[in-house]
Amino acid sequence: MKVEVNDEFRFASIWLTNEEKNNQEIRDEIFPLIEKWKSRKYKFVIYESGQRNLLEQTKGLLNHNKNLIRESGS
């Protein structure tokens, strides 16, 4: 589990690996962290690793966006 805090933008995040996101003990540790940062009026987000290939998914997204731009005539 990796915790990142950005005081300038008042933003906190937790990054979980596939193993961590399925571990109940680690998930139980998250809730006190969320409350801690929310009480300081920070926005909070949890990122979980996925199962798909990041490179292939990114290529697909870029191609999709390129096609949308082409279709809109921009």
Side-chain angles (χ1 to χ4, degrees):
M1 176 170 58
K2 179 178 178 182
V3 178
E4 293 180 343
V5 178
N6 184 313
D7 293 316
E8 180 181 355
F9 294 107
R10 302 186 67 77
F11 184 83
S13 59
I14 290 181
W15 295 79
L16 298 175
T17 65
N18 281 319
E19 294 79 27
E20 291 170 333
K21 74 180 183 182
N22 296 318
N23 182 320
Q24 189 58 47
E25 289 179 15
I26 289 177
R27 294 200 73 84
D28 291 342
E29 292 175 23
I30 292 173
F31 294 105
L33 292 172
I34 293 171
E35 293 305 315
K36 171 185 170 183
W37 294 108
K38 279 186 173 182
S39 71
R40 297 177 182 180
K41 306 221 185 296
Y42 278 60
K43 298 288 184 190
F44 195 88
V45 67
I46 299 172
Y47 296 103
E48 295 182 353
S49 293
Q51 301 297 324
R52 295 183 179 170
N53 181 297
L54 180 60
L55 179 59
E56 292 303 315
Q57 294 300 309
T58 303
K59 285 180 186 178
L61 179 61
L62 292 171
N63 283 330
H64 174 75
N65 289 341
K66 185 169 72 174
N67 291 334
L68 288 177
I69 291 169
R70 187 179 307 130
E71 291 171 6
S72 72
S74 297

